[in-house]
Amino acid sequence: MKISIIGTGYVGLVTGACMSQMGNTVICVDVDEKKIEGLKQGKIPIYEPGLETMVAENFKLGTLRFTTDIKDALDHSDICCIAVGTPMGEDGSADLQYVLQAAGDIGKHMSHYMIIVDKSTVPVGTADKVRDVIQQELSRRKVVDSTLRVKIPFDVVSNPEFLKEGAAIEDFMRPDRVVVGADNPKALEKIKELFAPFTRSHERFIAMDVRSAEMTKYAANAILATKISFMNEISNICEKVGADVNKVRVGIGSDSRIGYSFIYPGCGYGGSCFPKDVRALERLAIENGYAPRILKAIQEVNDSQKLVLAQKVIKRFGEDLSNYTFAVWGLSFKPETDDTREASSITIIAELAKHGAKIKAYDPKAMGIAKNYYLKNYKDIEYTDSKYTALTDADALILITEWKEFRSPDFDEIAKRLKNKIIFDGRNQYNKEKLNELGFEYYQIGVGN
């Protein structure tokens, strides 16, 4: 099939690469000329395992192209995916300016029947807005007949993505499900045909109305965020009553109704999806006359959870940290990505810096983005070239992101480099009994000390 994708961010680039991998002809469009030129030269603006190789292979084959010319892209495609950003507005709602701008561009340039696919995470009712904007542009072009019926027909469908950063290629190529909301059976069948190669092993294609599809994305992310915040709340209670949340997790996760996914205690969730989508869903509810109590609590628990690790450090070393240096392992919001948006590391480092602490940080992929954007205003941060270099002459180690290379470190090397054998573990990675035997002070989430 011939597909165009507006937006070469995380969703757009992964979608384009995976669709072209299945033999489709894909044209990715972006207004950023520098970004497009970089993609043509093989420069991938994000880190995602397997993405660089897949883009390079399909670009070489000619099944994947990059352009700033939206008219050319639309002229050579039958399906157009909108995959632009929907940042959070000042009131917490999703900012749809880029989505509606893309819709306007489609209306200005489309010349034949097209299926417009909303891939961006958008609130309920966005497909109607996209349809209205395209219709308005077609009317301005006078592409209508005497009865005001559009001569260039089109359909708008919703196809929310459920990609996990760090495993996006695998998720797209072997999806748990493909959710599509469509009002026209013809458009639905076309999209089903498009996804058939991805759902061959067994039926994972779920069809529904457009508004239900839009809601499904928000509901899915809200449920996952709920599990995380719930488990973090349990971990805080465990510390108060002397229980071990690691053992509690095993006890409840063995229940098939609950499962082990997303019940790992930690120092809060981050990233581009959960924080933004939970707030946007809360705002959507309020705008429609409903006060969402659980959604509000999810965010409050997560915001406070990001401070728990810093508070443990302050409790151990005192309010004045000006004479202390701390090694930080992990800056990205999760492993296998360089995404530091809403990452716990940013909140923790900011809190420690407020108390005068110096930081020596290491992350396998996210140091450049953190240094140049999210932590650029903090001067007392040194970025190191390895996890062990960060430890040298530091007063304690703070583990924030559970990258694989942090899972089985050399504890003798850690003890040799640190001034004090102290570890604050924000992801409960290590064995408490073993570390105590080695003479470490070891602080976890949800375990009383």
Side-chain angles (χ1 to χ4, degrees), residues 52-353:
E52 184 175 357
T53 300
M54 186 177 285
V55 168
E57 288 176 350
N58 289 287
F59 182 74
K60 185 177 180 180
L61 288 171
T63 55
L64 180 61
R65 292 201 291 122
F66 301 102
T67 185
T68 57
D69 188 343
I70 188 168
K71 184 179 186 308
D72 178 66
L74 294 174
D75 285 345
H76 293 88
S77 60
D78 302 311
I79 298 172
C80 179
C81 299
I82 298 177
V84 296
T86 52
M88 184 174 60
E90 292 183 3
D91 61 356
S93 62
D95 185 345
L96 296 178
Q97 63 172 310
Y98 303 113
V99 171
L100 300 182
Q101 181 180 322
D105 290 339
I106 292 169
K108 289 175 184 176
H109 299 293
M110 64 185 289
S111 58
H112 57 273
Y113 170 75
M114 298 198 73
I115 300 174
I116 315 303
V117 181
D118 278 340
K119 292 290 295 180
S120 300
T121 300
V122 294
V124 176
T126 299
D128 294 333
K129 294 179 180 179
V130 167
R131 186 180 295 107
D132 289 344
V133 169
I134 295 174
Q135 177 69 67
Q136 289 167 11
E137 291 299 332
L138 291 174
S139 296
R140 286 194 183 99
R141 291 168 57 192
K142 302 188 185 304
V143 191
V144 294
D145 60 22
S146 58
T147 62
L148 300 181
R149 296 176 66 181
V150 179
K151 291 182 180 177
I152 303 178
F154 66 94
D155 286 296
V156 179
V157 307
S158 174
N159 173 223
E161 53 82 18
F162 300 98
L163 307 177
K164 297 186 296 291
E165 291 191 44
I169 299 295
E170 176 69 19
D171 286 348
F172 201 105
M173 300 300 282
R174 298 176 181 81
D176 289 329
R177 76 283 201 198
V178 174
V179 173
V180 175
D183 298 325
N184 185 344
K186 175 185 173 182
L188 180 64
E189 284 304 310
K190 192 72 174 177
I191 299 301
K192 188 172 184 179
E193 182 184 346
L194 175 64
F195 280 100
F198 301 94
T199 57
R200 290 187 65 184
S201 58
H202 62 271
E203 184 60 51
R204 297 189 180 97
F205 191 93
I206 303 172
M208 59 183 71
D209 62 277
V210 174
R211 291 195 167 217
S212 295
E214 291 171 332
M215 188 64 178
T216 297
K217 170 66 174 182
Y218 276 124
N221 280 352
I223 287 174
L224 297 177
T226 302
K227 292 183 74 173
I228 295 170
S229 281
F230 177 82
M231 202 62 195
N232 281 334
E233 185 133 276
I234 293 297
S235 74
N236 295 332
I237 298 172
C238 283
E239 287 194 19
K240 298 292 185 183
V241 301
D244 185 335
V245 73
N246 300 302
K247 296 172 182 176
V248 173
R249 179 185 63 79
V250 175
I252 65 174
S254 57
D255 187 327
S256 60
R257 296 169 300 175
I258 299 171
Y260 288 106
S261 297
F262 290 86
I263 63 167
Y264 285 81
C267 47
Y269 62 74
S272 62
C273 294
F274 288 3
K276 175 174 68 70
D277 293 353
V278 173
R279 289 180 192 129
L281 183 55
E282 179 191 21
R283 187 65 192 174
L284 179 68
I286 291 171
E287 288 173 350
N288 285 274
Y290 180 78
R293 290 160 291 178
I294 293 177
L295 295 176
K296 185 177 178 64
I298 293 167
Q299 298 166 77
E300 290 174 347
V301 170
N302 191 60
D303 290 343
S304 63
Q305 194 68 21
K306 290 183 178 182
L307 291 170
V308 166
L309 208 56
Q311 290 164 352
K312 289 179 182 290
V313 174
I314 293 166
K315 183 177 180 181
R316 170 61 178 79
F317 287 93
E319 291 285 335
D320 184 1
L321 301 176
S322 57
N323 293 321
Y324 296 105
T325 299
F326 299 100
V328 169
W329 281 4
L331 296 172
S332 58
F333 86 94
K334 62 179 286 189
E336 299 300 329
T337 180
D338 60 355
D339 193 346
T340 54
R341 286 173 288 184
E342 304 261 359
S344 299
S345 62
I346 308 302
T347 303
I348 292 167
I349 289 172
E351 183 67 14
L352 295 177

Side-chain angles (χ1 to χ4, degrees), residues 378-434:
Y378 296 94
K379 306 304 180 186
D380 288 330
I381 302 179
E382 177 186 345
Y383 299 89
T384 66
D385 58 3
S386 76
K387 60 180 182 286
Y388 293 124
T389 304
L391 300 172
T392 304
D393 295 327
D395 292 282
L397 165 62
I398 303 173
L399 173 66
I400 299 177
T401 313
E402 63 277 35
W403 285 90
K404 290 178 182 177
E405 68 172 276
F406 302 153
R407 292 183 184 176
S408 299
D410 184 336
F411 289 106
D412 291 335
E413 186 68 21
I414 293 175
K416 189 190 328 181
R417 288 179 178 261
L418 287 176
K419 286 183 182 178
N420 310 292
K421 294 168 69 173
I422 302 175
I423 297 176
F424 295 90
D425 186 350
R427 301 298 174 183
N428 291 7
Q429 291 284 283
Y430 306 133
N431 183 287
K432 181 180 180 180
E433 286 72 25
K434 176 184 176 181

